[in-house]
Amino acid sequence: MSNNSPTIDHITPVPLRSATPEALAEIEQRVLWLSTAMIHHANRVRPNPTGLKVGGHQASCASMVSIMTSLWFEQLRPGDRVSVKPHASPVLHAINYLLGELDEKYLTTLREFGGLQSYPSRSKDPDPVDYSTGSVGIGATAPIWGAIARRYVDTVIGGAGTGRQYSLVGDAELDEGAVWEAILDHSVAELGEIVWIVDLNRQSLDRVVPNMAAGRLEAMFAAAGWQVLTVKFGTLLESLFTRAGGAALRTRILDMPNPEYQRLLRCHAGEVRRRLPGDTPDAAAIATLIAALDDDTLLAAIRNLGGHDLDALQAAYEQIDDTRPTVIIAYTIKGHGLPTQGHPQNHSSLLTVDQYEQLAAELGMDPTNPWARFDPASTPGQECAAVAQRLQRDPAALATPPAVPADFGRTPSGISTTQAALGRALLDLSRQAPDAAKRVVTVSPDVSSTTNLAGWLNKVGVWSPNERRNWFDDDAETIMHWREKPTGQHMELGIAETNLVGLMGELGATWSRWGQPLFPIGVMYDPFVERALEPWSYGIYAGGQSILVGTPSGVTLAAEGGAHQSIKTPSIGLEQPGCISYEPAFAIDVEWTLLDSISRLGRPNGSSSYLRLSTRPVDQSLAAVPTDPAARERRRRQVVAGAYTLRHADAPAVTLVGMGATITETLTAADRLAEQGVAAHVVCVTSPGRLFEAVQARRGLTEGPSWILDQVFPADRAAPMVTVLDGHPHTLAFLTGINHVRGAALGVSEFGQVGSLDDVYRYHGIDTDAVVRAALDLVG
């Protein structure tokens, strides 16, 4: 248990406890029982004809029971939100059950189809869950971004109220680097509503951690500006420390290695008396002290860590300083109160039937009728009713998202890039639809200027918890104005893509938390989308609707070399659930797809979107945007649906399909083929994902429209097909199956190279010559 813990300043606690200590202890024991019983039923009672592992984490739950009982029954207020560590989900369900928020029928459904989820889920669990957790580090940091989202909504729109954002974190989760990226972000130190509680049980999945280095954790949090409160010992141990030999006992416990301490938990009283004094100079004093204790008291004392002592936890909660983030490091025992407590491999172990019945006898429960609630007339029953009433939240009335125009009505001209079109579209939105624009919040990781957001940033300002002076506002040569204020609509984090998409997810969930929709748009370099994919995907799973813009993208970013050239991201967009992906070729396509994507945000059954943009200059006249209003609207609908015809051929010998930056090569190849008497039908794909959905719908595998296939890939003009994109070729390879034609799929399947655009395209076989050769091979 060794560490050099800093001394905590003791302040006079403000009494918050309404229940008697005895009633709270009964509730604590009932929570332990219910959480254990849920897992036991799922594994030992419920029929399992497949024999596959069901699982659950009884020991991980047990280490959190006291912390969560104290938090829910003594501290929480309606405006507070809590992220529960994944393996403690049965504890959350047990508390919700006692508070009347979960029907008894669900207690037998843990990890069953349609039942209680393996880990807390906002969208799938039947009882209240504030944050979805389950992927290491993502749920832990979510309350940080939730705090920012709540502040923003309350400042700009109103109605989000106040409340702390709690995160219950396992100590092993602090190994995840993304956790520290969030803790160290410069804005976080000003968010006093953030409270983390670390379950320091000093065990990982496989073993007892030999050196938990709690002192180092404390120093790292403190260096980031957090208040650090450490809850090491309970009241029984603290009382022993005041006796003769107590100081030596305290030093001995603190200095012994973690595995040695854990081994004591597995010992009977006689063995504890032999091992605990050790071979230190003060061993005799320790032996004399513990000799005066009966066996039960001695065993209780060695297990009396602060994370299992309701009085010690309450004292820690009452010291929280709401002017800065707080971390409470609570020493716990994995499996506390269970027959498996302290066992080095108890992470996923399950109680045997005999152990389960032994626990039932110790807690006064009936193992054949495990789901008993408290008698409403009893003191614990009355306390549960009082807490349920105290924590009652008024349901948020969902505000109708403001209307988003489908088309600004202008036609871009000249030479431009799809990346530049993003910034222009946002500025146009602020002029033509100011109500919708006020809901837009852009987010970037220190790449605002290089992703063409400078004009937008200058107009709307930068978000900050507090207003800051812009010392360059009178510098005529400074063209990007960094005006920081609580109402700024652009948020910039450090170079940490995980933080960015975590924030996007929480900004995109405000409609379901407080009834106020926001339109979050995050921008990052496209090669880093893969790094951010898991937390962004998890945010979508949790109900956060947002738009991720990857730019610049592909090997088109030729001069940057292979490390900055994305290859797999087009297929990521195709495969990501809850997301519509677009790779526009022209500025007008950016405008239409962006507006449609915004219109899908902040509402039930909404969706996220991913736009893959490029820095390649393209002649906008190649888009051949129809001038007739009806024809223009038809083109817009096709762009949003996934593809449109760019060059029409009545009897094509070949169909050329291009996407994004390669549309220039595709059109040039069509011209060269025409010179050889080969008629080419040219299709511009904007969304492989939407086309794949249409194919699945046509085959009756999903529900949805398939009209785009008839308009862009009609059977009567079917021809051999060449597909080309700046990304992996399999992204578009399925298109040949629409009309069962022969095809050639061109794209990027090797790491990139530095060089000129022509050299790099030639190297990967996506240049004009490659398209022409592939077409001639199919028709020759």
Side-chain angles (χ1 to χ4, degrees):
M1 292 191 65
S2 56
N3 79 87
N4 297 314
S5 175
T7 302
I8 301 171
D9 292 333
H10 291 281
I11 62 174
T12 303
V14 178
L16 292 176
R17 180 171 294 176
S18 60
T20 64
E22 294 77 15
L24 203 59
E26 284 192 62
I27 293 171
E28 176 188 28
Q29 290 189 342
R30 189 63 57 89
V31 171
L32 173 64
W33 168 256
L34 288 170
S35 59
T36 305
M38 274 185 258
I39 300 170
H40 180 83
H41 187 279
N43 289 273
R44 307 283 194 202
V45 180
R46 193 168 68 215
N48 183 9
T50 67
L52 292 174
K53 173 187 173 183
V54 176
H57 301 83
Q58 289 171 327
S60 294
C61 286
S63 70
M64 287 295 298
V65 164
S66 302
I67 291 171
M68 293 177 65
T69 300
S70 179
L71 183 62
W72 257 262
F73 287 85
E74 297 187 290
Q75 301 301 317
L76 290 186
R77 299 296 180 264
D80 298 340
R81 298 290 189 275
V82 187
S83 172
V84 176
K85 81 170 190 176
H87 291 164
S89 63
V91 182
L92 175 62
H93 298 311
I95 290 174
N96 281 336
Y97 174 64
L98 292 177
L99 297 180
E101 296 283 2
L102 182 66
D103 192 277
E104 181 180 323
K105 67 181 181 181
Y106 287 107
L107 300 185
T108 60
T109 68
L110 180 68
R111 298 188 173 214
E112 183 178 65
F113 185 81
L116 298 176
Q117 300 300 297
S118 306
Y119 310 120
S121 172
R122 289 190 72 220
S123 57
K124 295 185 178 182
D125 273 317
D127 54 332
V129 174
D130 291 330
Y131 289 99
S132 296
T133 59
S135 192
V136 176
I138 296 173
T141 58
I144 291 178
W145 318 125
I148 293 176
R150 187 206 61 77
R151 284 197 181 202
Y152 186 85
V153 168
D154 206 54
T155 300
V156 176
I157 303 171
T162 59
R164 287 176 178 166
Q165 300 282 332
Y166 290 92
S167 186
L168 308 182
V169 186
D171 52 13
E173 198 162 12
L174 297 179
D175 291 344
E176 170 57 55
V179 167
W180 296 102
E181 288 181 353
I183 291 168
L184 293 171
D185 190 85
H186 66 90
S187 296
V188 173
E190 299 180 58
L191 303 176
E193 61 266 49
I194 296 171
V195 179
W196 282 28
I197 305 170
V198 178
D199 170 20
L200 195 78
N201 60 44
R202 302 166 308 286
Q203 281 187 242
S204 63
L205 188 150
D206 293 327
R207 61 172 181 161
V208 175
V209 179
N211 182 11
M212 196 63 233
R216 183 174 62 185
L217 292 178
E218 293 164 351
M220 291 169 69
F221 275 103
W226 289 49
Q227 177 193 25
V228 181
L229 303 174
T230 303
V231 188
K232 291 181 182 176
F233 304 117
T235 52
L236 175 56
L237 265 180
E238 290 286 2
S239 69
L240 294 180
F241 295 156
T242 65
R243 301 184 186 182
L249 175 62
R250 188 179 194 277
T251 300
R252 167 73 173 127
I253 293 175
L254 286 175
D255 288 348
M256 71 172 60
N258 287 329
E260 181 182 5
Y261 176 79
Q262 295 285 102
R263 183 64 185 88
L264 289 175
L265 302 175
R266 308 290 299 165
C267 295
H268 57 73
E271 190 70 10
V272 172
R273 294 184 194 279
R274 185 181 70 82
R275 290 173 177 255
L276 181 55
D279 56 3
T280 68
D282 295 320
I286 297 172
T288 300
L289 171 59
I290 63 176
L293 306 177
D294 61 65
D295 287 354
D296 289 343
T297 302
L298 176 60
L299 293 177
I302 203 65
R303 292 165 172 76
N304 186 224
L305 298 186
H308 303 300
D309 190 289
L310 297 174
D311 290 327
L313 288 167
Q314 184 192 34
Y317 293 139
E318 290 167 356
Q319 294 182 65
I320 293 173
D321 174 7
D322 284 320
T323 66
R324 55 179 173 151
T326 295
V327 60
I328 298 173
I329 299 177
Y331 280 60
T332 61
I333 297 168
K334 200 160 191 173
H336 183 262
L338 301 181
T340 57
Q341 63 183 328
H343 193 285
Q345 281 85 48
N346 68 7
H347 179 82
S348 298
S349 66
L350 299 167
L351 299 188
T352 65
V353 173
D354 288 344
Q355 289 173 327
Y356 179 70
E357 291 177 350
Q358 173 192 337
L359 179 67
E362 292 173 357
L363 299 179
M365 300 302 299
D366 180 0
T368 65
N369 181 28
W371 315 123
R373 281 193 174 102
F374 291 110
D375 182 339
S378 68
T379 303
Q382 291 174 346
E383 179 62 17
C384 289
V387 171
Q389 184 176 8
R390 185 187 79 217
L391 296 181
Q392 192 66 42
R393 295 174 184 165
D394 294 329
L398 178 58
T400 301
V404 178
D407 187 352
F408 291 139
R410 64 178 181 84
T411 302
S413 59
I415 308 296
S416 185
T417 71
T418 54
Q419 177 179 284
L422 171 68
R424 285 197 296 270
L426 290 174
L427 290 173
D428 284 344
L429 183 68
S430 67
R431 288 187 286 265
Q432 297 199 27
D435 289 342
K438 286 179 181 178
R439 303 272 176 162
V440 171
V441 184
T442 55
V443 189
S444 71
D446 196 31
V447 294
S448 303
S449 56
T450 53
T451 53
N452 287 86
L453 287 182
W456 165 259
L457 186 152
N458 287 343
K459 181 177 181 62
V460 301
V462 178
W463 181 85
S464 174
N466 300 291
E467 189 159 358
R468 296 190 178 102
R469 168 79 182 273
N470 176 18
W471 292 98
F472 292 88
D473 56 4
D474 57 351
D475 186 339
E477 296 183 7
T478 300
I479 58 174
M480 191 165 73
H481 302 293
W482 207 257
R483 296 191 298 271
E484 297 179 88
K485 53 187 178 179
T487 57
Q489 290 180 244
H490 177 75
M491 298 182 180
E492 185 153 302
L493 305 178
I495 303 176
E497 287 76 15
T498 299
N499 288 353
L500 178 134
V501 295
L503 177 55
M504 287 169 56
E506 290 307 315
L507 290 169
T510 60
W511 67 273
S512 60
R513 292 196 192 280
W514 301 289
Q516 292 294 344
L518 296 177
F519 302 151
I521 302 174
V523 178
M524 68 175 65
Y525 293 161
D526 195 66
F528 304 144
V529 166
E530 293 177 65
R531 182 185 303 174
L533 180 62
E534 184 199 3
W536 187 53
S537 178
Y538 211 89
I540 295 174
Y541 167 82
Q545 300 166 9
S546 61
I547 299 172
L548 178 60
V549 179
T551 181
S553 63
V555 300
T556 300
L557 195 62
E560 294 291 340
H564 275 63
Q565 296 172 359
S566 55
I567 298 171
K568 295 175 286 184
T569 48
S571 56
I572 285 174
L574 169 66
E575 296 159 5
Q576 173 60 46
C579 172
I580 298 172
S581 65
Y582 290 106
E583 185 164 349
F586 300 103
I588 190 67
D589 299 348
V590 174
E591 175 187 307
W592 287 337
T593 56
L594 178 65
L595 293 175
D596 188 77
S597 297
I598 293 174
S599 73
R600 298 174 184 272
L601 300 176
R603 65 200 68 222
N605 301 316
S607 65
S608 295
S609 298
Y610 163 48
L611 273 64
R612 189 175 189 253
L613 306 184
S614 173
T615 51
R616 183 182 184 181
V618 173
D619 181 357
Q620 298 302 304
S621 67
L622 295 177
V625 180
T627 56
D628 178 80
R632 179 187 175 99
E633 173 59 15
R634 181 174 184 270
R635 166 72 69 87
R636 187 199 67 80
R637 293 180 68 247
Q638 291 176 337
V639 166
V640 170
Y644 57 94
T645 300
L646 198 51
R647 294 272 182 88
H648 178 81
D650 289 327
V654 66
T655 298
L656 304 183
V657 179
M659 186 169 80
T662 61
I663 199 64
T664 299
E665 281 68 31
T666 308
L667 290 169
T668 303
D671 292 338
R672 286 173 50 180
L673 288 168
E675 293 171 359
Q676 301 175 61
V678 178
H681 188 77
V682 179
V683 172
C684 181
V685 167
T686 55
S687 176
R690 303 220 72 180
L691 295 179
F692 185 77
E693 290 170 1
V695 170
Q696 295 292 83
R698 173 180 280 184
R699 293 171 179 167
L701 299 176
T702 61
E703 295 183 1
S706 61
W707 58 266
I708 188 65
L709 303 179
D710 296 324
Q711 291 191 4
V712 181
F713 300 102
D716 61 354
R717 290 202 298 275
M721 181 182 294
V722 178
T723 61
V724 58
L725 75 155
D726 184 358
H728 199 282
H730 85 266
T731 309
L732 299 179
F734 73 93
L735 294 177
T736 58
I738 295 174
N739 292 313
H740 306 290
V741 298
R742 292 182 299 120
L746 308 182
V748 180
S749 54
E750 301 287 340
F751 284 115
Q753 298 287 336
V754 69
S756 69
L757 188 65
D758 289 343
D759 289 339
V760 171
Y761 271 26
R762 188 179 305 111
Y763 171 80
H764 290 289
I766 57 174
D767 59 324
T768 301
D769 285 351
V771 178
V772 171
R773 284 196 301 269
L776 293 176
D777 286 344
L778 290 173
V779 303

